[in-house]
Amino acid sequence: MKSSSGFSRLPRDWRLTPEALEQRWACLQQNSQNQVLQQALLSTSDDSALDCYQKNIENFIGVAKVPIGVAGPLRVQGAFAQGDYWMPLATTEAALVASYHRGAQLITRSGGAQALLLSEGVSRAPGFVFETLRQAGQFGTWALEQMDYFKAETAKTTRYGQLQEMHISLEGNHVYLRFTFTTGDAAGQNMVTLATAQICQWICAHSPVAPKYHFIEANFSGDKKASAQSFQTVRGKKVSAEVCVPARLVRRFLHTTPERMTDYWRMSSMGGVLSGTIGVQGHYANGLAALFLACGQDVACVAEAAVGVTRFELTDEGDLYAAVTLPNLIMGSVGGGTGLPTQQACLQLMGLAGEHKARALAEVTAALLLAGELSIIGALCAGHFARAHQSLARGR
Amino acid sequence: MKSSSGFSRLPRDWRLTPEALEQRWACLQQNSQNQVLQQALLSTSDDSALDCYQKNIENFIGVAKVPIGVAGPLRVQGAFAQGDYWMPLATTEAALVASYHRGAQLITRSGGAQALLLSEGVSRAPGFVFETLRQAGQFGTWALEQMDYFKAETAKTTRYGQLQEMHISLEGNHVYLRFTFTTGDAAGQNMVTLATAQICQWICAHSPVAPKYHFIEANFSGDKKASAQSFQTVRGKKVSAEVCVPARLVRRFLHTTPERMTDYWRMSSMGGVLSGTIGVQGHYANGLAALFLACGQDVACVAEAAVGVTRFELTDEGDLYAAVTLPNLIMGSVGGGTGLPTQQACLQLMGLAGEHKARALAEVTAALLLAGELSIIGALCAGHFARAHQSLARGR
Amino acid sequence: MKSSSGFSRLPRDWRLTPEALEQRWACLQQNSQNQVLQQALLSTSDDSALDCYQKNIENFIGVAKVPIGVAGPLRVQGAFAQGDYWMPLATTEAALVASYHRGAQLITRSGGAQALLLSEGVSRAPGFVFETLRQAGQFGTWALEQMDYFKAETAKTTRYGQLQEMHISLEGNHVYLRFTFTTGDAAGQNMVTLATAQICQWICAHSPVAPKYHFIEANFSGDKKASAQSFQTVRGKKVSAEVCVPARLVRRFLHTTPERMTDYWRMSSMGGVLSGTIGVQGHYANGLAALFLACGQDVACVAEAAVGVTRFELTDEGDLYAAVTLPNLIMGSVGGGTGLPTQQACLQLMGLAGEHKARALAEVTAALLLAGELSIIGALCAGHFARAHQSLARGR
Amino acid sequence: MKSSSGFSRLPRDWRLTPEALEQRWACLQQNSQNQVLQQALLSTSDDSALDCYQKNIENFIGVAKVPIGVAGPLRVQGAFAQGDYWMPLATTEAALVASYHRGAQLITRSGGAQALLLSEGVSRAPGFVFETLRQAGQFGTWALEQMDYFKAETAKTTRYGQLQEMHISLEGNHVYLRFTFTTGDAAGQNMVTLATAQICQWICAHSPVAPKYHFIEANFSGDKKASAQSFQTVRGKKVSAEVCVPARLVRRFLHTTPERMTDYWRMSSMGGVLSGTIGVQGHYANGLAALFLACGQDVACVAEAAVGVTRFELTDEGDLYAAVTLPNLIMGSVGGGTGLPTQQACLQLMGLAGEHKARALAEVTAALLLAGELSIIGALCAGHFARAHQSLARGR
């Protein structure tokens, strides 16, 4: 089907029905190779199995397959997570699973990681534009007193989410409101969007000073991006995890010393500062992307989740103290992609599927990233970093 | 198998052989559910098909499946990309494909996006520690004159990569060298690691002043993290893309006006500034994560790739000028996960698999993200943002 | 006087008495020139006049003189400032006063600047170190419930300051408390230090879990540095100011158009983003340093005060809307250097000396910086920027 | 004199002549107090003495006086600075001189600070706007090849400054050129402005693709603001300084231990990271503002100069290694305010007035800031911080 502008157009029906799927692939048939592609992307699924993707995708054409490796067991003693966890990591990068696996084992042998969920909240930040600074000020003052109404409006849209806080930022005749909600066991981005839409509607109906115009999100919530603000507050879950690794285990498993690892920490934390990162850490993104992918989290949130602070310190006894703090863990144990077959299986492998598991999931995630920091820094200190990548990527 | 510390241990063999796989799952059998999980993660593959993952994963236990939707066609007029592209996007987030699809169509109807690859380079940054600032200074001065040797060492490790630049940063008695390489059509992180290892070895053998110790990477290269430094230079590929959308198309397809979209841009770019993001943009991470996943890129690199600048402007004729600039597109058309079956199929669907395609791939990616910015900002301006998410996520 | 290590030593008495002053200069007499220097630095003051500096300096050797120019009148309609203000600016940089003067006149002709004090607060951030994350968590939970005690302790140290808020940031076994105080009409840094010392003493006596060690300030308060945190909250006073300049006045006084000035704003705000500034603005530091110096403010606070957001916009009527927002105005109308002779005279020239004037002073300052932004951007748009500096610096 | 808009107007003549000065004060006579103010601001100077300020100020109304204290001697072994320096510090903040003095003595007793000038350069960054990305790309490619012409144009405007580098940043149809110049012994901001104006004129005459419009500075040079870009490159002079302080001197003079000072460094550097500063340091701004003011530097440049990295480390021998690195020291030994009487005297007191002294001045400045870091961190570790401020500010 060619449009008048001379380009092919997909059928308008973007649902996942067998007919729409067939029409879509017919449209993609621009060259002889496409039947092969269709087979590659659809090969292993009978049509009925595809129904599960109905609410998670538009213009469905197939399934991407990513291998999963397991790391662990990872022992965690948190406020919500307690036990030894098998961690499923989906990635195409050689050495990643091996590295996290080594770190997880080291933590477990050291008695496990302590973890602590510190706070929770997901934000939406509508923007309101007024004629003057004075009006903006009036609006801000008024809004501060409407929290009860805002909470009531929120309750109309969700059983799980609750409005916790509102922050006002005024810049000339612009006003940004940042609403922060708890979202139960879901990651919650859609939940907070719907609640905020409801609040905005109420504001427009009741504000004593009418905005010229407004937007439901004015790029002030930190959604899908690393930001200083989210780093300093919370986006999703804020978790800290720590472990004390005895010097003998550092030597035995990482082939280096606590002293050298703290030397590395010092130089690399200044490396982070010198290169202008938000927070300082090693490679949170690796573990996060692999875990998010395996467990049906929103992988795009790696953008915001992969910030935090890693700290290594030599204890008075000569052992290695290591801690990670992650303020932006956007994660859920329900909703989003968590119910899809392979993703649900991965959550179940951890024992963290379904309700009342999101907080434990966040604590375990922090412990996993701690494992990753220990392992990579160990490799960098022992001089194994390049070699490990080489041997694993080239088939061992 | 329980270790002496009382925890289960995976078999040491982390290769992907049928025997190792079977032993691994046996080890995971801690509860009755695990056979179901094993089936869910391995259901659709016969053993021989799993060989393809051999070099991409350790401790393999199965395959994660993520649905792919197609957006497009996306017309791109770049220095390397020329034509109409079907964009495969793997995600579990409702509305994502629909939104990028709408943006892609809008660009195509507007005559296509211009795109321009601006620069290329991937860095590794070893750190060297000396006794004194004076020694550090001597080392820096010496290193500056060894570029020819460093290039020769690089050539010993790779046919594709070339050392382009070295940047020196001295902080007290610490010296960070940042080597930037071109990496051919591969994303290249492993390539630059091996080359840098080779250079470091040469340095240690030849430096007139011996470092106390050194690390092959001192957290100064921007690997797997958003950094001001990478944002201001390049990491992977730096690409800019633009489109001019006629006012009538903005009204017809986005149900808003160029004026309101530039109002939004102004408020949201200040929203980005106020919240302290690196660069200012809307939701690059969404398109990046979905495309990276579909095409076998390193998804963890969303952390660094999802930074850049979006700019909207009203033209003298009243149309909408929109541009995106992405300095950190870590992408390759060969290597990493690009050769895996579904990933290779997705690259082929775009016509961008294999050698000599990486630059076009980066240009098309920038155009895709431009489509995403247009579509989401259109929705925010028209007041459709919450509604679209609601209807798509709840099954239309 | 030579020490045993072979260097000259100043007399130990660092008070400002005639004898100590004489001994100090005797010690500086290492070369023949120093009598000339002594005359230059002390020439115009008789000994009794020096007493005024007694509490503001140690090791006094003389007086630095900086010329003051006046800009204005600057019309301000704020919540606290109302009227036309003469602005004393002390600087050695040619063209600075001329530029602010032009901007102030333009604002006044446009009917004056609106200004609004948005919030107030000065922080101190002690740090506490514990054995474990768990202890850190216990401490944090406990501290949250002690606000009444902390307020009572504060009241023991100051009549003017009040503890408003406490923010807790936990990172592994480290806990940062950030106390924010109002400080009356003083800039208040010493006030909050003494109050925090008192609180820390109380904490150490009462905490159920004893810290291993603590510091009264752990570099988390934003003192004397630009920080994302202070930018996003408040440090000192947060003020926004705006003006609407009719197009004809833009043309007549700035020799450019509102359209070009908004073009400049767009490009320069992206320039700020691309170069990685905190906030985006033009040259707040110029006006701040000159005003701080003239009025006895702590000039080192330019480091933190010179951040904020400038926004220019074309109104529907084709006029120029301009706004500045400054969240970190550390200023006082009493205390610090405000009581010294020339500094007090400058405050009096503005009519803003003494008690109950600090808030108006902050509003007027924001309006001054708005004037500076208008004037410099006007010069950049009209192509006068280089010429103005050249002619003024070379004697007209 | 009242304008038609109802506000007082200063006489148009903004030169520093006795007549203009008299008229100006007559205009300021809005209340009975102003004669007292006039006396306060002009008291100590006869008319002829005011001529010296002729080229440094407009609308002159008097002189601000700030007390100067001396710190030192500060022993510096740099590439350019060699010897013991008396440091004049102008401030109104009690305890500042005392603290730097203590740090300077500690450094000197430890054998002095090593200092190393690492690089030099001052930037201007014009912005050029084109119709399309393609044109922008063409312009960028062309500009890269014109460096010889740009250097030749530079030479027409200055004998001291030389164009060293050009950096191109393209964002959509916007092009930022960042020219970096050496500026001899002057701070050089005006020098680089004039050179850039000349280059822009040449560009407009010769570019194969005409910009729609351009600006001589597009807020991309880091002038008068802390920026990630300047922090990572250089603005003015980049200098590192270090000292090794024996443990016994730490104990004797700072009443604490090297261990506790490195504990503090660790916690406070994370405090800087958590609060989102550019670089991590303690209070560079204090020493910089006081020295800049005493020595005729542009005090507004504290905004950009007060960034950098402080690092403390325990040596293998148990002593304290301390280093500071300052990449943005905008300083000159000639030009600006350096020739004014008291400022020149202060430079001469250091032996750093006039030509060929700017580099040594920068090295000494870095050593001074190192002294300040040692002293304040010592006070924070020993628990003296609050007490010292209290006793000195309240008259001992």
Side-chain angles (χ1 to χ4, degrees):
Chain A
M1 188 172 8
K2 285 269 179 180
S3 79
S4 56
S5 319
F7 59 85
S8 303
R9 289 180 54 192
L10 286 177
R12 276 169 180 273
D13 183 355
W14 55 26
R15 290 176 305 165
L16 198 167
T17 61
E19 301 71 33
L21 178 56
E22 199 50 51
Q23 286 179 5
R24 216 168 282 134
W25 270 108
C27 174
L28 299 180
Q29 302 289 10
Q30 297 166 317
N31 57 59
S32 56
Q33 253 196 328
N34 282 2
Q35 265 187 337
V36 183
L37 303 185
Q38 184 172 357
Q39 281 168 7
L41 297 180
L42 286 171
S43 61
T44 58
S45 315
D46 61 82
D47 281 1
S48 69
L50 302 176
D51 283 356
C52 65
Y53 301 119
Q54 185 73 28
K55 296 182 182 175
N56 295 81
I57 198 87
E58 301 85 38
N59 285 348
F60 177 86
I61 59 166
V63 173
K65 295 184 197 164
V66 183
I68 301 171
V70 66
L74 175 62
R75 185 164 291 174
V76 184
Q77 290 152 1
F80 298 92
Q82 298 277 353
D84 288 6
Y85 296 87
W86 295 115
M87 305 301 295
L89 300 171
T91 182
T92 60
E93 301 302 310
L96 189 150
V97 174
S99 182
Y100 279 84
H101 181 53
R102 181 171 80 144
Q105 287 183 302
L106 182 63
I107 285 176
T108 302
R109 282 174 189 279
S110 301
Q114 304 290 322
L116 190 54
L117 177 78
L118 300 168
S119 55
E120 296 181 84
V122 180
S123 299
R124 267 285 163 232
F128 300 84
V129 176
F130 296 90
E131 292 287 347
T132 63
L133 170 58
R134 188 170 304 205
Q135 285 186 357
Q138 288 170 348
F139 175 77
T141 304
W142 170 81
L144 273 176
E145 294 166 357
Q146 315 304 315
M147 272 296 278
D148 287 345
Y149 294 103
F150 298 163
K151 287 181 180 181
E153 293 302 309
T154 300
K156 293 180 185 170
T157 67
T158 171
R159 273 177 304 161
Y160 304 105
Q162 291 189 323
L163 176 59
Q164 297 291 312
E165 276 192 307
M166 180 182 63
H167 171 271
I168 300 185
S169 182
L170 190 152
E171 181 265 300
N173 57 6
H174 283 182
V175 180
Y176 300 81
L177 301 181
R178 193 172 77 238
F179 294 109
T180 303
F181 304 84
T182 55
T183 60
D185 286 294
Q189 290 113 314
N190 288 343
M191 190 188 297
V192 306
T193 300
L194 298 180
T196 304
Q198 183 77 17
I199 294 173
C200 286
Q201 201 176 316
W202 190 90
I203 285 175
C204 290
H206 294 82
S207 172
V209 44
K212 283 177 68 179
Y213 51 86
H214 81 284
F215 307 108
I216 193 178
E217 170 60 51
N219 207 18
F220 194 62
S221 69
D223 194 16
K224 302 290 188 305
K225 55 195 61 113
S227 80
Q229 176 180 264
S230 297
F231 172 64
Q232 283 157 22
T233 54
V234 62
R235 181 162 176 78
K237 312 250 182 292
K238 178 172 181 177
V239 185
S240 202
E242 71 175 9
V243 68
C244 186
V245 185
R248 63 179 172 79
L249 294 183
V250 172
R251 281 190 292 268
R252 179 165 157 212
F253 288 94
L254 302 181
H255 312 290
T256 183
T257 62
E259 286 77 7
R260 185 49 37 95
M261 289 186 78
T262 54
D263 285 339
Y264 182 82
W265 175 79
R266 198 190 308 109
M267 185 171 206
S268 73
S269 61
M270 289 305 99
V273 166
L274 289 167
S275 57
T277 54
I278 296 177
V280 289
Q281 41 90 26
H283 69 139
Y284 292 171
N286 274 327
L288 281 170
L291 185 68
F292 277 21
L293 181 46
C295 299
Q297 308 300 312
D298 186 347
V299 185
C301 291
V302 167
E304 66 229 73
V307 301
V309 171
T310 294
R311 177 161 52 87
F312 281 18
E313 197 168 320
L314 200 63
T315 68
D316 294 343
E317 294 73 31
D319 296 325
L320 178 65
Y321 174 86
V324 297
T325 302
L326 288 126
N328 298 345
L329 285 179
I330 288 269
M331 302 186 78
S333 57
V334 302
T338 60
L340 297 180
T342 53
Q343 289 80 344
Q344 178 67 211
C346 285
L347 284 168
Q348 289 180 2
L349 180 67
M350 290 190 283
L352 295 173
E355 299 206 342
H356 308 306
K357 299 294 189 186
R359 292 167 174 176
L361 180 58
E363 289 183 341
V364 171
T365 302
L368 177 73
L369 302 183
L370 177 61
E373 299 292 270
L374 286 168
S375 185
I376 201 172
I377 293 177
L380 286 161
C381 289
H384 296 165
F385 182 70
R387 204 164 61 204
H389 279 81
Q390 187 165 25
S391 63
L392 291 171
R394 298 194 174 169
R396 287 126 203 125
Chain B
M1 186 170 10
K2 288 266 177 180
S3 80
S4 57
S5 319
F7 60 85
S8 303
R9 289 182 52 192
L10 287 177
R12 277 169 180 273
D13 182 355
W14 56 26
R15 290 175 304 162
L16 198 167
T17 61
E19 300 72 33
L21 178 57
E22 199 50 49
Q23 287 179 1
R24 217 169 281 134
W25 271 108
C27 175
L28 299 181
Q29 303 290 9
Q30 295 164 316
N31 56 58
S32 56
Q33 255 196 329
N34 280 0
Q35 267 187 337
V36 183
L37 304 185
Q38 184 171 357
Q39 281 170 6
L41 297 179
L42 286 171
S43 62
T44 57
S45 313
D46 61 80
D47 281 2
S48 69
L50 300 177
D51 283 357
C52 66
Y53 302 119
Q54 183 73 30
K55 297 183 182 175
N56 294 81
I57 198 86
E58 302 85 38
N59 284 350
F60 176 85
I61 58 165
V63 172
K65 296 184 196 166
V66 184
I68 302 171
V70 65
L74 175 63
R75 186 163 290 174
V76 184
Q77 290 153 1
F80 297 92
Q82 298 277 353
D84 290 5
Y85 295 86
W86 295 114
M87 305 300 294
L89 300 172
T91 183
T92 61
E93 301 302 309
L96 190 151
V97 175
S99 182
Y100 279 85
H101 181 51
R102 181 171 81 143
Q105 288 183 300
L106 182 64
I107 285 176
T108 302
R109 283 176 189 278
S110 301
Q114 304 290 321
L116 190 54
L117 178 78
L118 299 168
S119 56
E120 296 180 86
V122 181
S123 298
R124 266 285 162 233
F128 300 84
V129 176
F130 296 89
E131 292 287 347
T132 63
L133 170 59
R134 188 170 304 203
Q135 285 186 358
Q138 287 170 350
F139 175 76
T141 305
W142 170 80
L144 273 175
E145 292 165 359
Q146 315 303 317
M147 272 297 279
D148 287 346
Y149 294 102
F150 297 162
K151 287 182 180 180
E153 293 302 309
T154 300
K156 292 180 185 170
T157 66
T158 172
R159 272 176 305 160
Y160 304 104
Q162 291 189 324
L163 175 60
Q164 297 291 313
E165 274 191 308
M166 180 183 61
H167 170 271
I168 300 185
S169 182
L170 190 151
E171 181 264 302
N173 58 6
H174 283 182
V175 180
Y176 300 81
L177 301 181
R178 193 172 75 239
F179 294 109
T180 304
F181 303 85
T182 55
T183 60
D185 286 292
Q189 290 113 312
N190 288 343
M191 191 188 295
V192 306
T193 300
L194 298 179
T196 303
Q198 184 76 18
I199 294 173
C200 286
Q201 201 176 317
W202 191 90
I203 286 175
C204 290
H206 293 82
S207 171
V209 45
K212 282 176 68 179
Y213 50 87
H214 80 284
F215 306 108
I216 193 178
E217 170 61 50
N219 207 17
F220 195 63
S221 68
D223 193 15
K224 303 291 188 304
K225 56 196 59 114
S227 80
Q229 177 181 265
S230 297
F231 172 65
Q232 283 157 23
T233 53
V234 62
R235 181 161 175 80
K237 312 250 184 293
K238 179 173 180 175
V239 185
S240 202
E242 72 175 9
V243 68
C244 186
V245 185
R248 62 178 173 80
L249 293 182
V250 172
R251 281 190 292 268
R252 180 166 157 211
F253 288 93
L254 301 180
H255 313 290
T256 185
T257 62
E259 285 79 4
R260 184 49 36 95
M261 289 186 78
T262 53
D263 285 339
Y264 182 83
W265 175 78
R266 197 190 307 110
M267 184 170 207
S268 71
S269 61
M270 288 306 100
V273 165
L274 289 168
S275 57
T277 54
I278 296 177
V280 287
Q281 42 89 26
H283 68 141
Y284 291 172
N286 274 327
L288 281 170
L291 186 69
F292 277 22
L293 181 47
C295 299
Q297 309 300 312
D298 186 347
V299 185
C301 290
V302 167
E304 63 227 75
V307 301
V309 172
T310 295
R311 178 162 51 87
F312 281 18
E313 197 169 320
L314 200 64
T315 69
D316 295 342
E317 294 74 29
D319 296 326
L320 178 65
Y321 175 86
V324 296
T325 302
L326 287 124
N328 297 346
L329 286 178
I330 288 269
M331 302 185 77
S333 57
V334 302
T338 60
L340 297 181
T342 54
Q343 289 80 344
Q344 178 68 210
C346 286
L347 283 168
Q348 289 180 2
L349 180 67
M350 290 190 285
L352 295 173
E355 298 207 343
H356 308 307
K357 299 294 189 187
R359 291 168 174 176
L361 180 59
E363 289 184 341
V364 170
T365 301
L368 176 73
L369 301 183
L370 177 60
E373 298 292 90
L374 286 167
S375 185
I376 201 171
I377 294 176
L380 286 162
C381 290
H384 296 168
F385 181 70
R387 205 164 59 205
H389 278 80
Q390 187 166 26
S391 63
L392 291 169
R394 299 193 174 170
R396 284 121 203 131
Chain C
M1 188 171 9
K2 287 268 180 180
S3 80
S4 57
S5 318
F7 58 87
S8 303
R9 288 181 55 193
L10 286 178
R12 276 170 180 271
D13 181 356
W14 56 25
R15 289 175 305 162
L16 198 166
T17 60
E19 300 72 34
L21 178 57
E22 198 51 48
Q23 286 179 2
R24 214 168 284 134
W25 272 107
C27 173
L28 300 180
Q29 303 289 8
Q30 297 164 317
N31 57 57
S32 56
Q33 255 196 328
N34 281 1
Q35 267 189 334
V36 183
L37 303 185
Q38 184 171 357
Q39 281 169 8
L41 297 180
L42 287 170
S43 62
T44 57
S45 314
D46 62 81
D47 281 359
S48 68
L50 300 178
D51 282 356
C52 65
Y53 301 119
Q54 183 74 28
K55 296 182 183 176
N56 295 79
I57 197 88
E58 300 84 39
N59 284 349
F60 177 85
I61 59 165
V63 173
K65 295 183 196 166
V66 183
I68 301 171
V70 65
L74 174 64
R75 186 165 290 176
V76 183
Q77 289 152 3
F80 297 92
Q82 298 278 352
D84 290 6
Y85 295 86
W86 295 114
M87 303 301 294
L89 300 172
T91 182
T92 61
E93 300 303 308
L96 189 151
V97 174
S99 182
Y100 280 84
H101 181 53
R102 182 170 81 143
Q105 288 183 301
L106 181 64
I107 284 177
T108 302
R109 283 174 188 279
S110 301
Q114 303 290 321
L116 190 55
L117 178 78
L118 299 168
S119 56
E120 296 181 84
V122 180
S123 299
R124 265 287 163 230
F128 299 84
V129 176
F130 297 90
E131 291 288 346
T132 64
L133 170 57
R134 188 170 302 203
Q135 286 186 357
Q138 288 170 347
F139 175 76
T141 304
W142 171 81
L144 273 175
E145 294 166 358
Q146 314 304 316
M147 273 296 280
D148 287 346
Y149 295 102
F150 298 162
K151 286 182 179 180
E153 294 301 307
T154 300
K156 292 180 185 170
T157 67
T158 170
R159 273 176 304 160
Y160 304 105
Q162 291 188 324
L163 175 59
Q164 297 291 313
E165 276 191 306
M166 179 182 63
H167 170 272
I168 299 186
S169 182
L170 190 151
E171 181 265 299
N173 57 5
H174 282 182
V175 180
Y176 300 82
L177 301 181
R178 193 172 75 239
F179 295 109
T180 304
F181 304 84
T182 55
T183 59
D185 286 293
Q189 290 114 313
N190 288 343
M191 190 187 297
V192 306
T193 300
L194 298 179
T196 303
Q198 183 78 17
I199 294 173
C200 287
Q201 200 175 318
W202 191 90
I203 286 175
C204 291
H206 294 82
S207 173
V209 44
K212 284 176 67 178
Y213 50 87
H214 81 282
F215 306 108
I216 193 177
E217 169 61 49
N219 207 18
F220 195 61
S221 68
D223 194 16
K224 302 291 188 306
K225 55 197 59 115
S227 82
Q229 176 180 265
S230 297
F231 172 64
Q232 283 157 22
T233 53
V234 61
R235 183 164 173 78
K237 312 249 183 293
K238 178 172 179 177
V239 185
S240 201
E242 71 174 9
V243 68
C244 185
V245 184
R248 64 180 171 78
L249 294 183
V250 172
R251 281 191 291 269
R252 181 165 157 212
F253 288 94
L254 302 181
H255 313 290
T256 184
T257 62
E259 285 79 5
R260 185 49 36 97
M261 289 185 78
T262 54
D263 285 339
Y264 181 83
W265 175 79
R266 196 189 311 108
M267 184 169 207
S268 72
S269 61
M270 289 305 100
V273 166
L274 289 167
S275 57
T277 54
I278 296 177
V280 288
Q281 43 88 25
H283 69 139
Y284 291 172
N286 274 327
L288 281 171
L291 185 69
F292 277 21
L293 182 46
C295 300
Q297 308 300 312
D298 186 346
V299 184
C301 290
V302 166
E304 65 228 72
V307 301
V309 171
T310 294
R311 178 162 50 87
F312 281 17
E313 198 169 319
L314 200 63
T315 69
D316 295 343
E317 295 74 29
D319 296 326
L320 178 66
Y321 174 86
V324 296
T325 302
L326 288 125
N328 298 346
L329 286 177
I330 288 269
M331 302 185 77
S333 57
V334 302
T338 61
L340 297 180
T342 54
Q343 289 81 343
Q344 178 68 211
C346 286
L347 283 169
Q348 290 181 2
L349 180 68
M350 290 191 283
L352 295 173
E355 298 205 342
H356 308 305
K357 300 293 188 187
R359 292 168 173 176
L361 179 59
E363 289 184 341
V364 170
T365 301
L368 176 74
L369 301 183
L370 178 60
E373 298 293 89
L374 285 167
S375 185
I376 201 171
I377 293 177
L380 286 161
C381 290
H384 296 166
F385 182 70
R387 204 163 62 205
H389 279 81
Q390 185 165 28
S391 63
L392 291 171
R394 297 192 174 170
R396 284 116 205 136
Chain D
M1 185 171 9
K2 287 269 179 176
S3 80
S4 57
S5 319
F7 60 85
S8 304
R9 289 181 52 193
L10 287 177
R12 278 170 178 272
D13 181 357
W14 56 23
R15 291 174 304 163
L16 198 167
T17 60
E19 300 74 31
L21 178 57
E22 198 51 49
Q23 285 179 3
R24 215 168 283 136
W25 270 108
C27 173
L28 299 181
Q29 302 290 6
Q30 295 165 319
N31 57 57
S32 56
Q33 254 197 329
N34 281 1
Q35 264 186 339
V36 182
L37 303 186
Q38 185 171 355
Q39 280 169 8
L41 297 180
L42 286 170
S43 62
T44 58
S45 314
D46 61 82
D47 282 1
S48 68
L50 301 177
D51 282 357
C52 65
Y53 301 119
Q54 183 73 29
K55 296 181 183 176
N56 293 80
I57 199 86
E58 302 85 39
N59 284 351
F60 178 85
I61 59 164
V63 173
K65 295 184 196 165
V66 183
I68 301 171
V70 65
L74 175 63
R75 186 165 289 174
V76 184
Q77 288 152 3
F80 297 92
Q82 298 277 353
D84 289 6
Y85 295 87
W86 295 114
M87 304 302 293
L89 300 171
T91 184
T92 60
E93 301 303 309
L96 190 150
V97 174
S99 182
Y100 280 84
H101 180 53
R102 181 171 82 146
Q105 288 183 300
L106 182 64
I107 285 176
T108 302
R109 282 174 188 278
S110 301
Q114 304 291 320
L116 190 54
L117 179 79
L118 299 168
S119 56
E120 296 181 84
V122 181
S123 298
R124 267 285 164 231
F128 299 84
V129 176
F130 297 89
E131 292 287 348
T132 64
L133 170 58
R134 189 171 302 206
Q135 284 186 358
Q138 288 170 347
F139 175 76
T141 305
W142 171 81
L144 273 175
E145 293 166 358
Q146 315 303 316
M147 273 297 279
D148 287 346
Y149 294 102
F150 298 162
K151 288 181 178 180
E153 293 301 309
T154 300
K156 292 180 185 170
T157 67
T158 170
R159 271 177 305 160
Y160 304 104
Q162 290 189 325
L163 175 60
Q164 296 292 313
E165 276 192 307
M166 180 180 63
H167 171 271
I168 299 186
S169 182
L170 189 150
E171 181 264 301
N173 58 7
H174 283 181
V175 181
Y176 300 81
L177 302 180
R178 191 172 79 239
F179 295 109
T180 304
F181 304 85
T182 54
T183 59
D185 287 294
Q189 290 113 313
N190 288 343
M191 191 188 295
V192 305
T193 300
L194 299 179
T196 303
Q198 182 78 18
I199 294 173
C200 286
Q201 200 176 317
W202 190 89
I203 285 175
C204 291
H206 294 83
S207 172
V209 44
K212 283 177 67 180
Y213 51 88
H214 81 282
F215 306 107
I216 193 178
E217 169 61 49
N219 207 19
F220 195 63
S221 68
D223 194 15
K224 302 291 188 304
K225 56 195 60 112
S227 81
Q229 176 180 263
S230 296
F231 172 64
Q232 282 156 23
T233 53
V234 62
R235 180 161 176 80
K237 312 250 183 295
K238 178 172 180 177
V239 185
S240 202
E242 72 175 9
V243 69
C244 186
V245 184
R248 63 179 172 79
L249 293 183
V250 171
R251 280 190 292 270
R252 179 166 159 209
F253 288 94
L254 302 181
H255 312 291
T256 184
T257 62
E259 285 79 5
R260 185 49 36 96
M261 290 186 78
T262 54
D263 285 337
Y264 182 84
W265 175 79
R266 196 189 311 109
M267 184 169 207
S268 72
S269 61
M270 289 305 100
V273 166
L274 289 168
S275 57
T277 54
I278 297 177
V280 287
Q281 42 89 28
H283 69 139
Y284 292 172
N286 275 327
L288 281 170
L291 185 68
F292 277 21
L293 181 47
C295 299
Q297 309 300 312
D298 186 346
V299 184
C301 291
V302 167
E304 65 229 72
V307 301
V309 171
T310 294
R311 178 162 51 88
F312 281 17
E313 197 168 321
L314 199 64
T315 68
D316 295 342
E317 294 75 28
D319 296 326
L320 178 67
Y321 175 86
V324 296
T325 303
L326 288 124
N328 297 347
L329 286 178
I330 288 270
M331 300 185 78
S333 57
V334 302
T338 60
L340 297 182
T342 54
Q343 289 81 343
Q344 178 66 210
C346 285
L347 283 168
Q348 289 181 3
L349 179 67
M350 291 190 284
L352 294 173
E355 299 205 343
H356 308 307
K357 300 293 188 186
R359 291 168 173 177
L361 179 59
E363 289 184 342
V364 170
T365 301
L368 176 72
L369 301 183
L370 178 60
E373 298 292 90
L374 285 167
S375 185
I376 199 171
I377 293 177
L380 286 161
C381 290
H384 296 167
F385 183 69
R387 205 164 62 206
H389 279 81
Q390 186 166 26
S391 64
L392 290 170
R394 298 193 173 168
R396 282 110 205 143

